[in-house]
Amino acid sequence: GGPSSFLNGSGAVGGSLNMITKLANRDEDTFEGRVSYGRYDTMETSVGFNKALNSGDGPRHYARLDYSRTSTNGYIDRQENGAGNLAFSLLSDINDQLSHTLAIEYLEEKEDSPYWGTPVLQPAVGTLHIDKHNRFNNYNVEDGRYEQRTRWLRSITDYRIDDSNQLRNTFYHYNGQRDYRNLEVYRYNPGNTAIARSGGYRQRHDQEVNGNRVELTHQGQLFGLASDWAFGVDYNRNQQTAYPLSKGAFDSIDPNGFQPDHFLDIPGMDAPRAKGRSTNTNTTAGFVENRTRLTDQLSLVTALRYDHIDFDVVDHVTRAKLNRRWDAFTGRLGLVYDLTSNISLYTQYSTSAEPPGGSLTGASISQVGDFDLSTGRQVEVGSKFDFLDGRGSATAAAYRIVRKNISVPSSTVPNTTEQAGQQTSTGIELAASFKVTPKLLAAGNFSWVNAEYDEFNETIGGVVYSRKGKTPVNIPDRVANLWLTYDLAPGWQVGADARYVSSVYANTANTQWVPSYTVYGLSMTHDLDQHVQLSARLRNLTDEVYARFIHQTNTQYYLGEPRSLEVAVQWRY
């Protein structure tokens, strides 16, 4: 996300997820890879080749092939996962001005008996706890399943008009199919002697995205000042169809010894697959960004984006249809000031807009009909600086984010959302690294945030509750990390790390919360030569039992990984 679509995608304030895959390049031929093995038979194998296919005059071609495979038996009983990813790209320099990149990726993943969390002990009020004796139990059915198959195709054409102007056209295609077949909800009885299982859920997602983006960059002058521009248009069509089937109560089991049973033992789950609803989201966007140097030290950054969103949803059960259209202008205004060669200051104001539920929405007709466009605005100030002759570097930022009409998970109805009127987040982020001695490096970061609902009336059991002033679920107000690395000898390095996460609320009423936790780790690396490195990493040194996530509707811990050791060899030639 981010208002600068040609840099970071589109639509959101507060952060961005930038997925960068390796593409063929003009560097020297390379062969690189990594093989690792860890506790719970966790294995990874990944290899990549980059090679020039020809030389001499005329068109030049470069190819890259990457393959990776991961698998694990999982630290939860019966949970096994395997995933394979294959990527190929071909870069062709047609002439000095024109080049083309074709990139193709395919991913296939399968998880047996996926883990949907560990139920908390009753009464579920105040600090939530689990039965640590049964921390590795998997209450899903024996043949629970999650699978996904995706392909991603990009055709990227770059044309250098002259030294100041470049044109890029990117056609992209994504196709994904995801299948779920699980029993997902588990709850202790009042005496904590039995667990009621419910929430049988079978669904398929068919999704396809096709789009094209054209971008023009220009380096020039504006009123005699150095000024860089980027212009672009983007059109994409996101089609999704869901095939849902869900059931309620199934059985009650003894957590100290039980048979997981099978998915088809759940009444009604053998029904033929049928379409539930389909959505089509057509987005047409235009954007422009500028960076102008007002002085040698001060730069002005501006961006403006227009989105026309046409959203259709069809309910195949009731045969009802609905169409919604939205138009949104978003943008960014910022200043960057180089106080010295080692210190820069910046400030920024940005806005955002996105459809209800985001780009992967499975929203129902009633939801889309009642929901408004989600909007946001963000103000941020910060600094980046080096100190003590380059021995240290640091960043600091303070921000305030206001989001309106945002979708939040329902507290009572699984796999559905409600719309909150407004949420505000105010926070600071600090990060630094410092060379304590020529051999000892210390690095760390700290973040604090105060997030709360300003407007949110939640309906539970027909009663409306105001959540004004409450903190959203799963948001810690403090997170801190620390790393230490020490060079024992040439080619040998040891390290230690620590991560702290404060407690989080488990419900919107803020009457349930999950304790804070701290996990520690150790590592060692050894360079066999300039090409090959061996490493060992010990995670969760103290075997801390902690919840890395809490399921809001089901009130279930998603437990973090226990103590585990991983060894790896990595090479690059």
Side-chain angles (χ1 to χ4, degrees):
S4 307
S5 61
F6 80 103
L7 288 178
N8 303 311
S10 62
V13 295
S16 63
L17 182 64
N18 191 14
M19 179 178 174
I20 300 176
T21 57
K22 295 184 177 183
L23 295 176
N25 60 71
R26 302 174 183 87
D27 298 338
E28 71 277 4
D29 294 350
T30 59
F31 169 49
E32 56 188 330
R34 184 177 189 270
V35 176
S36 68
Y37 179 82
R39 190 181 180 186
Y40 309 109
D41 292 327
T42 300
M43 293 180 283
E44 175 195 355
T45 301
S46 54
V47 293
F49 302 85
N50 188 86
K51 184 173 179 60
L53 300 182
N54 66 324
S55 59
D57 298 331
R60 297 286 303 274
H61 304 282
Y62 309 85
R64 182 172 184 98
L65 180 66
D66 289 277
Y67 174 76
S68 65
R69 175 72 185 175
T70 60
S71 63
T72 180
N73 288 333
Y75 54 89
I76 301 296
D77 292 343
R78 297 183 291 105
Q79 180 195 27
E80 298 181 2
N81 177 279
N85 188 77
L86 180 66
F88 172 77
S89 59
L90 176 67
L91 169 61
S92 299
D93 288 332
I94 309 302
N95 53 45
D96 291 340
Q97 293 179 282
L98 180 65
S99 66
H100 178 264
T101 301
L102 176 67
I104 303 171
E105 290 192 48
Y106 179 75
L107 167 70
E108 187 169 299
E109 181 179 7
K110 183 174 74 172
E111 186 168 349
D112 295 326
S113 297
Y115 171 60
W116 293 99
T118 300
V120 300
L121 296 170
Q122 299 294 335
V125 178
T127 302
L128 301 179
H129 301 279
I130 65 166
D131 183 349
K132 294 183 179 181
H133 175 72
N134 292 321
R135 63 185 283 199
F136 300 118
N137 279 5
N138 187 346
Y139 299 105
N140 199 354
V141 289
E142 178 73 30
D143 53 349
R145 183 67 56 84
Y146 166 68
E147 296 180 358
Q148 70 163 326
R149 294 156 293 279
T150 67
R151 66 172 180 264
W152 187 23
L153 169 68
R154 287 173 293 164
S155 173
I156 307 169
T157 303
D158 288 293
Y159 181 67
R160 187 176 62 83
I161 302 172
D162 52 40
D163 291 341
S164 300
N165 299 279
Q166 295 188 4
L167 185 68
R168 166 173 285 195
N169 186 87
T170 304
F171 167 77
Y172 50 95
H173 163 80
Y174 168 87
N175 181 275
Q177 185 181 80
R178 297 173 289 273
D179 283 293
Y180 304 83
R181 188 183 69 194
N182 299 286
L183 185 63
E184 300 181 7
V185 181
Y186 328 116
R187 185 161 297 174
Y188 273 100
N189 64 1
N192 294 318
T193 58
I195 293 176
R197 299 195 299 174
S198 61
Y201 187 65
R202 189 187 78 189
Q203 179 152 216
R204 166 169 288 180
H205 295 165
D206 282 332
Q207 182 186 9
E208 183 171 323
V209 181
N210 292 290
N212 195 80
R213 181 166 57 251
V214 182
E215 306 157 72
L216 173 66
T217 58
H218 169 72
Q219 294 178 323
Q221 289 191 335
L222 180 67
F223 303 117
L225 303 173
S227 185
D228 299 332
W229 293 86
F231 307 88
V233 292
D234 190 351
Y235 173 80
N236 65 72
R237 180 177 179 85
N238 184 351
Q239 301 171 289
Q240 299 180 79
T241 299
Y243 301 77
L245 181 64
S246 59
K247 296 295 179 180
F250 174 46
D251 63 2
S252 180
I253 60 170
D254 181 353
N256 297 308
F258 64 95
Q259 293 297 322
D261 294 321
H262 296 83
F263 188 77
L264 293 182
D265 294 332
I266 306 171
M269 281 303 176
D270 57 351
R273 179 176 284 115
K275 290 183 179 180
R277 56 179 175 265
S278 297
T279 61
N280 289 310
T281 308
N282 296 318
T283 303
T284 304
F287 52 88
V288 58
E289 176 153 332
N290 174 260
R291 180 178 184 270
T292 299
R293 281 198 170 272
L294 303 179
T295 70
D296 290 340
Q297 294 174 288
L298 182 63
S299 297
L300 173 67
V301 178
T302 55
L304 183 65
R305 177 183 174 95
Y306 165 74
D307 285 274
H308 173 75
I309 304 170
D310 193 334
F311 186 88
D312 292 291
V313 57
V314 177
D315 190 315
H316 297 285
V317 178
T318 64
R319 299 188 180 277
K321 299 180 180 180
L322 180 69
N323 173 260
R324 293 290 306 272
R325 294 184 179 183
W326 298 282
D327 292 280
F329 283 95
T330 57
R332 180 175 69 171
L333 177 65
L335 288 169
V336 180
Y337 183 67
D338 296 327
L339 186 62
T340 69
S341 60
N342 296 322
I343 303 175
S344 64
L345 309 173
Y346 71 91
T347 182
Q348 176 180 280
Y349 175 80
S350 59
T351 61
S352 71
E354 57 187 341
S359 60
L360 290 175
T361 181
S364 65
I365 286 181
S366 61
Q367 291 175 318
V368 176
D370 295 337
F371 287 3
D372 295 320
L373 196 71
S374 298
T375 60
R377 63 182 187 271
Q378 174 176 326
V379 178
E380 181 179 352
V381 295
S383 176
K384 300 180 179 180
F385 54 93
D386 298 329
F387 55 94
L388 293 181
D389 297 324
R391 287 177 59 190
S393 63
T395 62
Y399 62 88
R400 180 178 176 84
I401 301 170
V402 179
R403 300 186 64 203
K404 292 186 176 182
N405 302 318
I406 61 173
S407 297
V408 297
S410 170
S411 295
T412 56
V413 184
N415 306 309
T416 61
T417 58
E418 301 180 48
Q419 193 166 69
Q422 182 171 298
Q423 175 184 322
T424 299
S425 301
T426 304
I428 59 172
E429 295 184 354
L430 307 172
S433 64
F434 180 63
K435 201 78 171 178
V436 182
T437 71
K439 294 184 177 182
L440 179 62
L441 175 67
N445 56 50
F446 171 80
S447 66
W448 168 86
V449 63
N450 178 35
E452 62 181 22
Y453 292 116
D454 304 314
E455 300 173 20
F456 183 23
N457 293 320
E458 187 176 29
T459 302
I460 300 178
V463 180
V464 178
Y465 298 90
S466 173
R467 302 307 188 198
K468 183 177 181 179
K470 302 297 184 181
T471 300
V473 173
N474 282 313
I475 296 183
D477 60 6
R478 286 160 293 143
V479 175
N481 295 276
L482 177 66
W483 299 271
L484 296 172
T485 57
Y486 184 76
D487 297 328
L488 285 173
W492 288 90
Q493 186 181 82
V494 293
D497 59 86
R499 175 174 176 81
Y500 167 79
V501 179
S502 66
S503 63
V504 299
Y505 287 110
N507 63 349
T508 53
N510 291 177
T511 58
Q512 303 171 330
W513 55 86
V514 179
S516 62
Y517 66 88
T518 304
V519 291
Y520 303 93
L522 298 174
S523 64
M524 175 178 287
T525 61
H526 173 51
D527 297 328
L528 290 179
D529 53 37
Q530 61 178 339
H531 301 292
V532 182
Q533 182 184 80
L534 302 178
S535 65
R537 180 173 296 276
L538 182 63
R539 298 186 176 91
N540 195 355
L541 178 65
T542 60
D543 204 22
E544 177 83 357
V545 179
Y546 66 97
R548 58 182 173 88
F549 181 78
I550 185 73
H551 197 296
Q552 175 180 343
T553 304
N554 305 340
T555 320
Q556 294 166 192
Y557 269 30
Y558 280 68
L559 290 172
E561 185 178 7
R563 180 170 49 234
S564 60
L565 176 66
E566 176 196 81
V567 293
V569 56
Q570 186 167 318
W571 66 90
R572 179 181 173 87
Y573 291 95

